[in-house]
Amino acid sequence: MATVALMVASCGDNKKPEEAGQTTEQPAATEAPAADQAAEAVNVTLEGTDQMTFNIQEIKAKAGQTINVTLKHVGQMPKNQMGHNFVLLKKGTDIPTFGMAAMEAGLEKDYIPNNGADVIAHTKLIGGGETDTISFKAPEPGTYDYICSYPGHFSLMKGKLIVE
């Protein structure tokens, strides 16, 4: 009986909590700490087209943060005619020189030259309708180039990874 009286007494006034002098703040436990937010992965869906374009030219991340890149070839052409990949290059890599070496590496090596010596991360080479996903840790702070290394594509299919 005492429990019922307590429930009726607490429900009896129809004031909102703020009007009754109570706070409506959520408990701190439901908020993610800032450190956890910084550790969340960066998820990027990068689309390559038959017109040799990427839909994203800039990606931002914090040093050490996990980056998940899903490359989608939204075109129709096969990889031996219009293949695409995502290649994140090390700082200081000369893109035209890398592009020439990629052409020499050939389709069998997904146009990744020198066993990837100048590469931080890359997807496989994909054709129309295909998708590939990779995960890697963001390198030290700085600006890094990413390209498609299929012959002739790097001049149009490029962007920057900015690491803070």
Side-chain angles (χ1 to χ4, degrees):
M1 182 79 167
T3 306
V4 174
L6 181 60
M7 285 178 26
V8 170
S10 66
C11 295
D13 106 5
N14 291 329
K15 291 183 182 177
K16 294 179 182 171
E18 28 306 15
E19 295 170 340
Q22 297 175 2
T23 180
T24 59
E25 289 182 31
Q26 296 292 324
T30 62
E31 296 176 14
D36 287 348
Q37 290 172 350
E40 288 182 19
V42 173
N43 298 304
V44 177
T45 300
L46 188 63
E47 295 179 353
T49 69
D50 283 344
Q51 289 74 41
M52 296 190 321
T53 61
F54 279 144
N55 65 322
I56 298 172
Q57 285 75 42
E58 186 176 280
I59 301 168
K60 291 186 177 182
K62 296 190 182 315
Q65 192 170 26
T66 298
I67 301 174
N68 301 310
V69 175
T70 298
L71 177 64
K72 291 177 67 175
H73 191 318
V74 296
Q76 303 296 316
M77 298 175 79
K79 71 179 178 182
N80 64 340
Q81 293 177 357
M82 185 60 68
H84 297 316
N85 60 8
F86 165 87
V87 182
L88 180 62
L89 300 171
K90 292 180 180 177
K91 278 188 197 177
T93 301
D94 182 72
I95 295 174
T97 301
F98 182 88
M100 291 301 293
M103 186 168 49
E104 291 172 11
L107 181 64
E108 310 78 42
K109 294 184 179 179
D110 285 343
Y111 298 103
I112 303 296
N114 305 322
N115 294 321
D118 296 319
V119 176
I120 295 170
H122 69 88
T123 63
K124 65 182 182 178
L125 189 72
I126 61 173
E130 296 180 326
T131 300
D132 189 32
T133 300
I134 60 167
S135 294
F136 60 94
K137 295 283 186 190
E140 66 183 33
T143 301
Y144 299 82
D145 292 302
Y146 64 84
I147 63 168
C148 170
S149 66
Y150 189 91
H153 289 198
F154 66 83
S155 61
L156 296 172
M157 298 184 78
K158 60 186 176 181
K160 303 279 186 193
L161 168 64
I162 301 169
V163 181
E164 301 171 342

